Amino acid sequence: MSELISVSKDLRFALGNERISYLFQVSAEGLLEHLHFGGAIGVADDYPAGPQRVARGAVSEFAGVKNYNLSDTPQEYPTFARSEQRHPALHVVNAAGNTTNTLRYLSHTIVPQKPELKGLPAARGGHSETLLVTLSDQLSELRVVLSYTVYQQHDVIARSAEVFNDGDATISLQHALSSCLDLPADDYELLHLRGSWAREFNVERLPVPGGRFVIDSACGLSSNHHNPFMAIMQRGASETHGWVMGTALMYSGNFSISVERGEFDSVRISAGINPFNFTWQLSAGESFVCPEALHVFSEQGLEGMSQIWHGFIREQISPTQFKDVARPSYLNSWEANYFEVDEQRVLELADQAVDLGLELLVIDDGWFQGRNDDSGSLGDWVADSEKFPRGIDAVASDVKAKGLKFGLWFEPEMVSQNSDLYRAHPEWVLGVPDRQPSLGRNQLMLDLCRADVCDYLYQRLDSFLSSGQIDYIKWDMNRSMTEIGSAVLPAERQRETAHRYMLGLYALLDRLTSKYPNVLFENCASGGNRFDLGMLRFMAQGWPSDMSEPVGRLAVINGASHLFPPSVMASYIGPTPSHQNGRPSSLHMRRDVGFFCAARGVSLNAVDLRCDAEQLQAAVALYNATAADVVHGHFRRLLYRDNEVCWQLSSRDGERVYIGYFQILAAPNLPQKRVYPRALVATANYRLVDSGAPSRKSIFSGAALMKMGLDLRQVEQSNSTPGGDFRSWFVTLNRL
Ligand code: GLA
C-alpha cells in the first residue's frame, strides 16, 4: 500500500505528504487534467473545484463536448491541438508532417523511490515514491511517460517526461518540456533571479502580467542572465507569510521557464529545455529524456520556500559523500597572484596558509604550459615547465607535507587557438561550416558532443587525479556558446548540439566524480554563469560570483539564497580596494559576509596576508570553528533593504545561532531599529556573544529575542568595527 500516492478507481491521482498535495485526474476523454498543487488536501471522494465544462465566448470544443475549451482546462502535459491554444509542453512534427497530436491516458504504475533519469542529473529518491503515467497518441504513434516523485520529508514534486517514438519514421521534437503546471485564475506575483557577470542573482519581483513572461537561456549554459528558477506566489506574500510555489530545473544548458496568463486569467508555468533553437530528430523506436523539473510549495512565505529548497538540495541533490562534511577553509591564488603563480610563490602562500590556520591551498589559473595571460594554452593540461619545473605532483606533495590539502583549477571544456591541442585538433571545437567561430575571452569551446573529446578530457583530468595528490578541483567555464554546431552531427541534427553537449558534459562529470568520489569539485563559470542544480548534483559547492567585494556579494548571496543553501556556496576574503568595483572595505565586513557560505577562505597576496595576519588568523579560526554548523545550518534572510541586510544562520541542532548585520552607507542620527531572530526555542535562554564588545546584559529568552527583537542601535555602539560606510556586526546566540 502506497503511503504517498493514491489512485482512485475513476483515475484520480493524489500525491502528497502531510503538508502538500498534488492532484490530477483522467477526464472522460482521456486527458490528464490538473486539479491542485498546494497545501495538503489528502484523498477525497470529490473536490469542490476543478476543470469545468462551461459556456465560453470562445471558439472550439474538444471531443465533441461543446463547452470543453482546452485553453481553459488545467492540464498536466498539454500539446498544441484542438482547442488548446496556449504554449504546449510537447510540440512534435509527426510522421505526417503536422503538429496536431493529442495525448490520452494509457496506463500508470507506482514504483518505490525514484527511477534513474537516463543521462541526466536528477535528485535522489530517499523516502519517496514515483508515479509513472503513460500517455499516448495512437495516430501519431507517440508515447510519453510522465514521472512524478513525491517525498515524505520534503515538500517537493520532482517531474520529468520521456517521449517515445513508436512509429517507423523519424519525428521531430520542437518542444519537449519537463513540466507544465496550470494554476487557477488569480492575482499572482512572480520572483526570479537575474544578473550578469559579477552581479548575479538580483531578485526581480513583479505581478504576473497578461501574456507570456519568459526567463530563458540560449547561450549554451544556464547563464547568469537568468537562473533556472522562478517562484510564483500569492499576491503580497512576504518572507514569512503567504503561499509560495517554486520551480527549478536540474539542467545546466539552454532552458526556459515561462508563465503564461491567458485569456481566462489562469496561469501556466512551463519549464524545460528552451524550445528556441532546439529540435530533436527522434528516430523510430527511440526515446528522448527531458531534464528534471522540481516544484516546491510552502505556506510560510519565501523563507518557507527557501527552507524547503535548502533541505532538499542538501539531502537529495548534493553529492552524498559531501553533504554533511565541513568544507575546508582555503587560500586561492587567483586574486593573490593572478597568472603569476609559480612553485616558489605557491610554497610561500602555503606557509602563510599554515600560519593562518587555513586547510586547503588552491592554485587557480596560470599553472599550465605557457599560460601567462588569458590569450592561450587552454587545452594543454600539463604544468608549465618554467613555473613548475618539478611538475604539479611534486608541488602538491610539498604542500600536503605542510599539513594542507591541495587543489587545482581547470577549465576543461575550453581550448585556446594558441595551444597544442587546437593545433592538433582544430575540428574538436563547436562551430558551423565556413564561418569563423567567435572568440569569448580569447577561447573556443570544445565539442562535448564528441566521444573523442570527452575521452581526451577524461584522460587529462584522470592523469592528475590518479596521483592521489589532488583533493579539490575548481572546474571553471568562461564563455558561452556562439556558432552552435557540431562536426559530428548531420545537418538535420545540428540543432541538437547544445543539448548533446550537456549530455557529454554530464557523462564526463559522472565518470570523473564516480572514480574520484572524495575529490571536492567546485563549480565555477566566470562566477555564477552556470550555477544550477544540474552542476550541483556532481559538485558539492560552487563559486556563485566573481564579485568578492562584500557589499556586492551581499546582493549575490541574498538573491542566490532564495534557492541555494549556504552548503553549496563558496566565498573568500579578497583584496581591498576591491578588484571588481574599486570599493574599499574592512576585513571585518569581508569576513562577516563570507561567513554565510559553507566554503570560506582567502584570496590575498603574500604582502596583504602578512599585513593583516592577526585579523586573518582570527577570521580563519572563526571559519574553521563554525564550518560544520554552516554546512548543515538553516539560513534565513531577516532583513534586506537598500542600506541594510541581516542574515541568520542556525546550527542544525539550534544550539548556536549566528547573526550578521550589515550596514552599507553610514548616516547620522539613524532611527533605533530592531531585528527579530526567527525559529528560536521560545522557552530556552540564549547567551549573546559579541566578540567585539561583550554587552552588560547578555542572556535573553528565545521568546524575548523573537518577539521584542535585538536592538540594532545597541549593536552599533557595541561594534568593534571603525565607523563609516560598510559596517558589519556579527554575534552568536548560544543556547544555554
Ligand atoms: C574565472 C573565475 C575566477 C578565476 C578566473 C581564472 O573568471 O570565475 O574565479 O578562476 O576565471 O581565469
Side-chain angles (χ1 to χ4, degrees):
M1 170 73 185
S2 164
E3 285 173 62
L4 300 169
I5 299 174
S6 71
V7 186
S8 69
K9 282 203 186 67
D10 57 352
L11 295 174
R12 287 185 174 193
F13 299 87
L15 295 80
N17 57 32
E18 281 148 21
R19 299 161 303 276
I20 60 165
S21 285
Y22 191 108
L23 311 172
F24 58 92
Q25 67 186 6
V26 177
S27 75
E29 302 81 11
L31 284 186
L32 232 48
E33 288 181 340
H34 179 77
L35 293 169
H36 169 77
F37 176 44
I41 291 176
V43 185
D45 291 340
D46 203 358
Y47 299 105
Q52 299 195 15
R53 276 80 169 141
V54 291
R56 290 291 196 194
V59 273
S60 52
E61 44 82 36
F62 176 70
V65 182
K66 192 156 167 263
N67 294 319
Y68 188 18
N69 189 319
L70 292 184
S71 287
D72 192 28
T73 302
Q75 295 172 71
E76 287 299 312
Y77 203 67
T79 53
F80 185 79
R82 313 292 289 258
S83 53
E84 172 57 271
Q85 285 163 348
R86 291 170 292 178
H87 248 66
L90 186 71
H91 201 52
V92 176
V93 181
N94 55 33
N98 66 69
T99 54
T100 299
N101 306 292
T102 303
L103 296 168
R104 294 180 202 238
Y105 169 85
L106 195 63
S107 63
H108 73 271
T109 172
I110 297 170
V111 296
Q113 296 207 320
K114 193 161 178 279
E116 208 184 312
L117 203 60
K118 278 175 270 171
L120 287 165
R124 287 183 294 275
H127 190 164
S128 64
E129 286 171 5
T130 299
L131 169 68
L132 299 166
V133 184
T134 303
L135 310 172
S136 84
D137 180 332
Q138 287 179 353
L139 195 60
S140 301
E141 296 179 299
L142 192 62
R143 186 162 45 93
V144 176
V145 178
L146 299 180
S147 166
Y148 299 81
T149 303
V150 53
Y151 291 81
Q152 178 65 60
Q153 324 286 358
H154 304 282
D155 300 343
V156 175
I157 302 288
R159 287 191 57 177
S160 64
E162 183 168 1
V163 183
F164 294 80
N165 178 2
D166 290 338
D168 298 329
T170 298
I171 59 174
S172 173
L173 307 185
Q174 312 286 303
H175 290 209
L177 299 189
S178 307
S179 171
C180 166
L181 203 51
D182 281 343
L183 311 182
D186 210 335
D187 282 336
Y188 301 101
E189 289 180 81
L190 69 86
L191 178 150
H192 69 110
L193 304 170
R194 61 186 292 261
S196 184
W197 174 75
R199 50 179 180 82
E200 298 87 347
F201 300 112
N202 290 292
V203 174
E204 183 168 82
R205 180 172 172 162
L206 59 149
V208 170
R212 285 182 76 230
F213 177 86
V214 186
I215 56 164
D216 67 4
S217 153
C219 57
L221 33 72
S222 51
S223 94
N224 49 28
H225 319 159
H226 300 286
N227 198 263
F229 156 78
M230 189 187 282
I232 300 286
M233 65 199 119
Q234 188 172 19
R235 186 170 173 182
S238 69
E239 268 301 299
T240 49
H241 293 96
W243 66 255
V244 182
M245 197 181 280
T247 296
L249 281 164
M250 294 219 33
Y251 191 57
S252 316
N254 295 335
F255 78 94
S256 151
I257 302 182
S258 69
V259 184
E260 180 172 2
R261 182 168 163 188
E263 61 179 319
F264 301 118
D265 270 346
S266 57
V267 166
R268 166 167 292 176
I269 305 167
S270 305
I273 292 177
N274 192 352
F276 169 71
N277 217 9
F278 165 86
T279 55
W280 191 274
Q281 299 300 108
L282 195 61
S283 309
E286 289 196 343
S287 74
F288 179 83
V289 181
C290 304
E292 185 156 276
L294 302 168
H295 300 288
V296 310
F297 178 82
S298 166
E299 281 174 316
Q300 277 86 44
L302 289 161
E303 175 178 303
M305 175 196 69
S306 297
Q307 293 289 312
I308 298 169
W309 283 124
H310 292 185
F312 187 72
I313 292 168
R314 261 194 319 255
E315 296 304 321
Q316 311 300 140
I317 295 180
S318 282
T320 337
Q321 66 277 24
F322 285 108
K323 73 185 178 63
D324 289 324
V325 176
R327 302 298 151 75
S329 56
Y330 62 82
L331 176 52
N332 175 298
S333 66
W334 181 239
E335 293 196 52
N337 297 111
Y338 291 101
F339 294 98
E340 291 173 9
V341 280
D342 57 30
E343 176 165 333
Q344 198 197 327
R345 282 201 179 90
V346 165
L347 293 178
E348 195 184 339
L349 283 181
D351 285 334
Q352 290 181 295
V354 172
D355 289 345
L356 294 174
L358 290 159
E359 298 164 322
L360 160 69
L361 183 101
V362 179
I363 310 183
D364 208 282
D365 200 350
W367 60 267
F368 45 101
Q369 192 57 50
R371 179 76 166 175
N372 296 318
D373 54 36
D374 65 11
S375 67
S377 298
L378 291 168
D380 296 345
W381 300 110
V382 287
D384 185 89
S385 51
E386 283 177 26
K387 297 178 182 180
F388 295 96
R390 294 188 303 138
I392 288 296
D393 275 2
V395 178
S397 132
D398 288 358
V399 167
K400 290 172 76 110
K402 296 176 196 289
L404 296 167
K405 292 175 187 284
F406 179 79
L408 202 55
W409 179 96
F410 285 91
E411 197 181 352
E413 299 157 73
M414 298 294 154
V415 65
S416 309
Q417 279 171 315
N418 182 13
S419 69
D420 291 342
L421 181 66
Y422 186 71
R423 282 182 282 272
H425 289 292
E427 77 286 6
W428 275 12
V429 300
L430 285 180
V432 298
D434 306 322
R435 284 187 202 274
Q436 189 68 24
S438 309
L439 294 174
R441 208 194 187 200
N442 307 308
Q443 61 206 44
L444 297 170
M445 284 182 74
L446 288 172
D447 178 2
L448 270 63
C449 303
R450 300 178 67 119
D452 48 4
V453 170
C454 293
D455 286 344
Y456 168 81
L457 293 177
Y458 176 78
Q459 280 151 14
R460 290 314 305 137
L461 273 284
D462 186 54
S463 74
F464 284 89
L465 290 168
S466 58
S467 72
Q469 301 281 19
I470 296 182
D471 303 294
Y472 160 108
I473 282 189
K474 179 169 169 186
W475 183 294
D476 210 340
M477 199 279 190
N478 285 316
R479 62 158 293 177
S480 55
M481 287 183 195
T482 47
E483 302 71 27
I484 308 176
S486 168
V488 290
L489 295 175
E492 69 278 13
R493 289 193 181 270
Q494 285 297 311
R495 279 154 51 114
E496 298 173 13
T497 303
H499 183 59
R500 287 188 183 274
Y501 179 98
M502 294 317 307
L503 297 176
L505 173 65
Y506 289 142
L508 174 62
L509 291 173
D510 191 38
R511 270 170 97 183
L512 286 167
T513 55
S514 308
K515 181 159 179 200
Y516 298 103
N518 298 322
V519 173
L520 177 61
F521 281 78
E522 181 166 316
N523 170 46
C524 179
S526 306
N529 206 14
R530 198 172 59 186
F531 198 96
D532 55 62
L533 300 179
M535 294 308 282
L536 291 172
R537 180 68 186 82
F538 300 99
M539 308 200 188
Q541 62 193 49
W543 182 242
S545 177
D546 277 349
M547 172 53 70
S548 62
E549 184 279 317
V551 176
R553 207 162 181 91
L554 276 175
V556 169
I557 302 299
N558 199 77
S561 75
H562 283 82
L563 175 61
F564 301 106
S567 61
V568 302
M569 292 200 267
S571 197
Y572 59 54
I573 296 174
T576 184
S578 157
H579 295 180
Q580 291 81 41
N581 61 14
R583 183 179 287 142
S585 59
S586 68
L587 207 142
H588 201 273
M589 174 104 167
R590 281 174 281 157
R591 179 201 75 174
D592 293 351
V593 174
F595 178 90
F596 291 88
C597 295
R600 289 90 62 92
V602 174
S603 188
L604 294 172
N605 64 32
V607 176
D608 290 342
L609 290 173
R610 263 193 295 278
C611 278
D612 287 327
E614 210 176 306
Q615 275 198 74
L616 284 168
Q617 239 157 15
V620 174
L622 174 76
Y623 284 178
N624 291 346
T626 55
D629 282 351
V630 180
V631 88
H632 29 66
H634 297 287
F635 177 88
R636 293 184 161 80
R637 299 171 294 267
L638 299 186
L639 274 185
Y640 187 77
R641 302 195 190 120
D642 284 348
N643 204 34
E644 53 189 354
V645 176
C646 189
W647 293 333
Q648 170 184 329
L649 190 138
S650 315
S651 62
R652 181 154 58 186
D653 57 10
E655 293 286 309
R656 290 165 298 286
V657 179
Y658 306 98
I659 295 180
Y661 171 67
F662 307 94
Q663 182 182 289
I664 295 166
L665 295 182
N669 243 349
L670 288 172
Q672 180 170 333
K673 288 191 199 151
R674 295 177 191 186
V675 68
Y676 297 83
R678 297 193 196 122
L680 306 183
V681 178
T683 51
N685 280 326
Y686 293 81
R687 184 189 300 279
L688 177 82
V689 180
D690 176 354
S691 54
S695 59
R696 216 167 8 105
K697 186 161 172 287
S698 63
I699 297 179
F700 310 104
S701 74
L705 286 161
M706 290 190 290
K707 309 282 179 205
M708 290 180 71
L710 265 174
D711 192 332
L712 289 174
R713 173 98 183 270
Q714 181 187 347
V715 161
E716 281 185 32
Q717 286 165 354
S718 68
N719 200 342
S720 61
T721 319
D725 295 339
F726 323 127
R727 303 178 69 186
S728 66
W729 175 68
F730 180 84
V731 291
T732 309
L733 296 168
N734 286 322
R735 196 160 87 191
L736 297 175

